[in-house]
């Protein structure tokens, strides 16, 4: 089991843990009270910094209920934090855009993350044919 050093910037949020034993994703919480008007952008502080192991990165995405509960969209859609962002002041943030007036409070669960190994080095080999069955060129059904 990998050990990850974590620094909390506040004692007002719950400590990190797996999502109720149901998933290998871990919830992140808002570290301060936020008030947003429709059309505003904000970096939501998540109250943590981590020192990820070499060769790993964190993928940060909204929870499935974030848009419904708070009316915000994560502007980078999937944040990737690599092991180089590991200093004492490298707090994690969630960049959001509000589609309606909203409030997010300290300790509200707003996003989630998981730790992933970096993609291995890939060498692309150009070819005229791939050899698999042609599925029609669009989606899984081949229909637009």
């Amino acid at each position: 089991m990998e050990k990850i050093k974590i620094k909390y910037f506040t004692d007002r949020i719950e400590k990190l843990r797996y999502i109720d034993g149901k998933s290998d994703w871990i919830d992140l919480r808002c570290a301060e009270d936020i008030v947003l008007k429709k059309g505003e952008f904000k970096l939501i502080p998540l109250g943590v910094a981590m020192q990820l192991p070499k060769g790993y990165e964190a993928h940060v995405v909204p929870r499935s209920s974030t848009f419904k509960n708070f009316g915000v969209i994560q502007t980078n859609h999937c944040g990737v934090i690599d092991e180089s962002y590991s200093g004492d002041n490298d707090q994690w943030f969630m960049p959001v855009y509000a589609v309606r007036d909203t409030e997010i409070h300290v300790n509200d669960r707003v996003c989630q993350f998981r730790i992933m190994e970096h993609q291995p080095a890939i060498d692309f080999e150009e070819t005229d044919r791939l050899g698999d069955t042609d599925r029609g060129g669009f989606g899984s059904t081949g229909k637009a």
Side-chain angles (χ1 to χ4, degrees):
M1 178 181 293
E2 293 282 348
K3 294 254 187 217
I4 295 177
K5 290 183 180 179
I6 184 168
K7 176 182 176 181
Y8 288 93
F9 289 83
T10 179
D11 60 1
R12 297 177 65 200
I13 59 172
E14 288 184 30
K15 303 294 185 196
L16 297 187
R17 62 184 173 83
Y18 285 107
I19 301 173
D20 298 325
K22 300 175 189 173
S23 172
D24 62 352
W25 288 82
I26 300 167
D27 283 336
L28 291 164
R29 297 168 181 273
C30 185
E32 67 183 44
D33 289 325
I34 306 283
V35 176
L36 289 167
K37 297 290 184 196
K38 180 180 179 177
E40 286 186 328
F41 169 82
K42 174 81 173 169
L43 290 173
I44 296 177
L46 301 172
V48 297
M50 291 181 224
Q51 188 175 48
L52 300 178
K54 184 171 175 44
Y56 286 82
E57 61 196 23
H59 293 191
V60 180
V61 299
R63 297 181 76 243
S64 60
S65 61
T66 297
F67 183 76
K68 174 182 65 98
N69 290 343
F70 305 111
V72 296
I73 296 172
Q74 184 173 336
T75 59
N76 59 354
H77 304 291
C78 175
V80 177
I81 301 170
D82 69 23
E83 74 271 20
S84 69
Y85 191 69
S86 60
D88 280 334
N89 295 309
D90 290 339
Q91 179 173 194
W92 291 13
F93 290 85
M94 178 188 188
V96 300
Y97 177 81
V99 298
R100 61 174 163 83
D101 293 355
T102 190
E103 293 184 13
I104 306 171
H105 300 285
V106 170
N107 212 41
D108 282 345
R109 296 179 299 165
V110 292
C111 57
Q112 58 192 336
F113 78 100
R114 70 183 312 181
I115 305 297
M116 305 286 292
E117 270 190 278
H118 288 287
Q119 177 172 288
I122 296 173
D123 184 25
F124 292 99
E125 177 184 339
E126 191 171 340
T127 183
D128 291 331
R129 295 194 47 82
L130 297 176
D132 284 342
T133 303
D134 189 347
R135 294 178 60 185
F138 186 85
S140 62
T141 64
K143 298 177 183 174

